[in-house]
Amino acid sequence: PPSQREVHCIIRRRPIHERFYFMDGQFRALEFNSSATTNEVVQMIINRIGLKKGCDGFSLYEVFGQLERNMLPTEKLADAIFKWEKYSRSMGSTKVLKLTFKKRLFLRPY
């Protein structure tokens, strides 16, 4: 189901506008359509900030209060926005979802 923000964007015939945060506290605002996947948005961010081709290992993380989760490349961002919007409403929380762009770390097992 669509989030309230997605419904407003559809009514206004505009793409979804969202802030993507970086580890240094900065953010960039990007527009994407409701069918955009995490992988597509990661590529948009990489192009926007000017990283070189072949930069691998970057991902988006859902950060909601103390909760943090790496988003799968095939996940739809609009679905994640809806999920946290619904959770926030049901819990009466004032926390907001922060989509954070950062490098994944892969550690080998001992």
Side-chain angles (χ1 to χ4, degrees):
S3 65
Q4 287 180 335
R5 188 175 335 161
E6 188 177 353
V7 170
H8 291 292
C9 290
I10 291 169
I11 290 170
R12 289 183 279 146
R13 297 179 187 208
R14 304 265 313 153
I16 298 171
H17 184 85
E18 186 65 46
R19 286 182 176 182
F20 296 91
Y21 293 87
F22 298 93
M23 296 303 295
D24 62 358
Q26 293 185 34
F27 66 87
R28 296 285 190 278
L30 291 176
E31 292 183 339
F32 56 92
N33 63 30
S34 58
S35 65
T37 63
T38 300
N39 191 47
E40 292 169 350
V41 173
V42 165
Q43 291 306 312
M44 287 171 61
I45 294 170
I46 287 172
N47 292 337
R48 176 59 103 46
I49 63 175
L51 290 177
K52 295 179 182 177
K53 297 276 186 200
C55 287
D56 295 330
F58 286 96
S59 186
L60 282 179
Y61 287 75
E62 304 171 306
V63 179
F64 190 82
Q66 296 297 317
L67 303 173
E68 182 175 310
R69 186 182 77 87
N70 178 30
M71 297 181 71
L72 299 174
T74 56
E75 281 186 74
K76 306 274 188 222
L77 256 62
D79 292 344
I81 292 169
F82 168 75
K83 172 179 68 176
W84 290 110
E85 185 180 272
K86 182 179 174 185
Y87 178 79
S88 181
R89 250 187 323 214
S90 70
M91 300 306 268
S93 175
T94 58
K95 296 177 186 172
V96 294
L97 173 65
K98 279 184 145 183
L99 295 169
T100 305
F101 178 79
K102 62 182 177 178
K103 185 94 168 164
R104 291 179 307 221
L105 296 177
F106 299 99
L107 302 175
R108 292 184 180 158
Y110 293 105

